[in-house]
Amino acid sequence: MKTIDKISRMLTLIKILKKEGKSVGFVPTMGYLHEGHLSLTRQAKKHTDLVVMSIFVNPIQFGKNEDYDKYPRDFKRDEELARSAGVDIIFYPSSEEMYPEGYATYVEVKGLTDSLCGDSRPGHFRGVTTVVSKLFWIVKPDIAYFGQKDAQQAYVIRKMAQDLNMDVDVRILPTVREKDGLAMSSRNTYLSEGERKDAVVLYQALKSAEEMVRGGETESKKIIKAIEGIIKPKSRIKIDYVSIVDTKRLKPVSKITGEVLIALAVFIGKARLIDNIIIAP
Ligand code: AMP
């Protein structure tokens, strides 16, 4: 496994590998790896000749009062985990390498970014699509892997790739969860013991929403109310949003008639956590 921190070196190496006819699988991450990241890597390993993982905490996708400085980082640990999952190349650039002085170009996807996290974190997705398009140019992946855990992000990136005619297959893989259902996230490390225990209600609430839909409930309002009713008794949790949107445009639906994304975001202590399920009636 190689670690590369310079864009020029990465471009040269990818050019050589592509000339040799190698297919490239790509897993972009912000590091502090967990089983969610590693599951993407293992899939990439199955489908492509070599796997590139980027580890980059992207400053431009964090808001002013968000956790950029505190975001967990442990490169040595990440290197070991990446190696064990079969990563061939880690791309580990600095922020100065990615955004040198005078950097001025941004990529923005309209529409899909209006709701959910786009609404509560203005500018967040502009940061995500900008960094991912840079990474796509640098790594030139045949297939790029994203987690359903960040469903809106994955849809936005898929749309960007489509609209900008990027020759990359964007694949979305299922959310990996802890035994008790909590979606794995680097930010779970922020949680105290009590907060961690309370956090299980997020998935429990989503599962009970799923049961309501399977039982024939189609009124979004009622389902959202039920989800809030499960989360609210946990006083350590503050709801940012609970929303039911269609999976094409990510617009809120009042009645569930087709496939929907039931998504939520909450604050628990120092963490802002998100989770979702996709369900069709
Ligand atoms: P992050 O490092 O949090 O930016 O995540 C990097 C990639 O891993 C994104 O595509 C995420 O959606 C994905 N990911 C993060 N957590 C999980 C999880 N629990 N299950 C599956 N994929 C995940």
Side-chain angles (χ1 to χ4, degrees), residues 89 176 200 222:
I89 302 170
V176 178
V200 300
K222 282 193 193 153

Side-chain angles (χ1 to χ4, degrees), residues 8-263:
S8 58
R9 178 98 211 285
M10 198 69 206
L11 288 169
T12 311
L13 183 61
I14 292 290
K15 199 178 258 175
I16 294 167
L17 292 165
K18 289 262 161 163
K19 249 194 196 141
E20 288 172 3
K22 297 260 184 349
S23 61
V24 176
F26 181 39
V27 181
T29 81
M30 297 207 297
Y32 213 74
L33 302 178
H34 51 67
E35 198 45 45
H37 302 114
L38 302 181
S39 73
L40 302 182
T41 307
R42 288 193 201 101
Q43 279 302 309
K45 197 81 195 156
K46 275 191 205 155
H47 299 131
T48 55
D49 297 326
L50 88 156
V51 177
V52 179
M53 172 186 276
S54 60
I55 297 183
F56 180 60
V57 185
N58 176 34
I60 67 165
Q61 72 185 65
F62 287 78
K64 268 204 174 67
N65 299 314
E66 294 182 356
D67 56 344
Y68 174 69
D69 289 329
K70 295 198 199 83
Y71 196 83
R73 295 163 169 91
D74 186 343
F75 186 65
K76 280 274 152 284
R77 176 179 168 277
D78 285 349
E79 258 186 332
E80 283 319 306
L81 288 169
R83 193 193 309 274
S84 72
V87 169
D88 298 287
I89 302 170
I90 297 183
F91 180 49
Y92 182 55
S94 65
S95 336
E96 294 73 34
E97 181 74 6
M98 290 295 273
Y99 305 111
E101 217 173 292
Y103 185 86
T105 304
Y106 296 84
V107 175
E108 202 168 355
V109 173
K110 302 264 190 211
L112 288 182
T113 56
D114 290 342
S115 56
L116 311 174
C117 288
D119 194 23
S120 16
R121 302 181 70 189
H124 167 68
F125 285 115
R126 180 180 187 253
V128 170
T129 41
T130 298
V131 79
V132 173
S133 47
K134 281 174 71 73
L135 291 167
F136 280 2
W137 278 114
I138 296 164
V139 175
K140 299 186 178 61
D142 296 275
I143 312 178
Y145 295 83
F146 294 87
Q148 191 201 310
K149 151 85 182 357
D150 302 273
Q152 187 177 19
Q153 166 175 284
Y155 291 145
V156 167
I157 287 165
R158 189 175 263 174
K159 179 78 178 137
M160 172 189 83
Q162 189 191 348
D163 285 357
L164 294 181
N165 312 102
M166 292 169 158
D167 194 12
V168 52
D169 178 358
V170 173
R171 297 213 184 147
I172 307 173
L173 301 184
T175 303
V176 178
R177 300 179 178 280
E178 302 286 357
K179 278 204 184 79
D180 62 8
L182 178 67
M184 289 194 180
S185 164
S186 309
R187 289 188 167 101
N188 291 348
T189 52
Y190 295 147
L191 302 176
S192 70
E193 211 176 301
E195 289 161 358
R196 170 66 187 79
K197 278 195 187 128
D198 286 354
V200 300
V201 294
L202 305 182
Y203 189 53
Q204 286 168 357
L206 289 170
K207 287 304 278 180
S208 85
E210 184 174 7
E211 267 166 41
M212 285 176 81
V213 178
R214 299 230 179 280
E217 183 56 69
T218 56
E219 291 286 330
S220 292
K221 242 191 211 159
K222 282 193 193 153
I223 298 165
I224 291 171
K225 215 164 171 211
I227 293 175
E228 290 173 346
I230 293 171
I231 298 175
K232 275 186 178 154
K234 302 286 179 193
S235 60
R236 282 185 274 231
I237 305 183
K238 199 177 144 278
I239 294 174
D240 180 7
Y241 67 75
V242 176
S243 195
I244 302 183
V245 299
D246 70 272
T247 52
K248 294 273 169 315
R249 294 159 60 242
L250 302 186
K251 293 281 177 261
V253 296
S254 52
K255 240 183 166 20
I256 300 179
T257 54
E259 190 180 68
V260 289
L261 175 73
I262 307 184

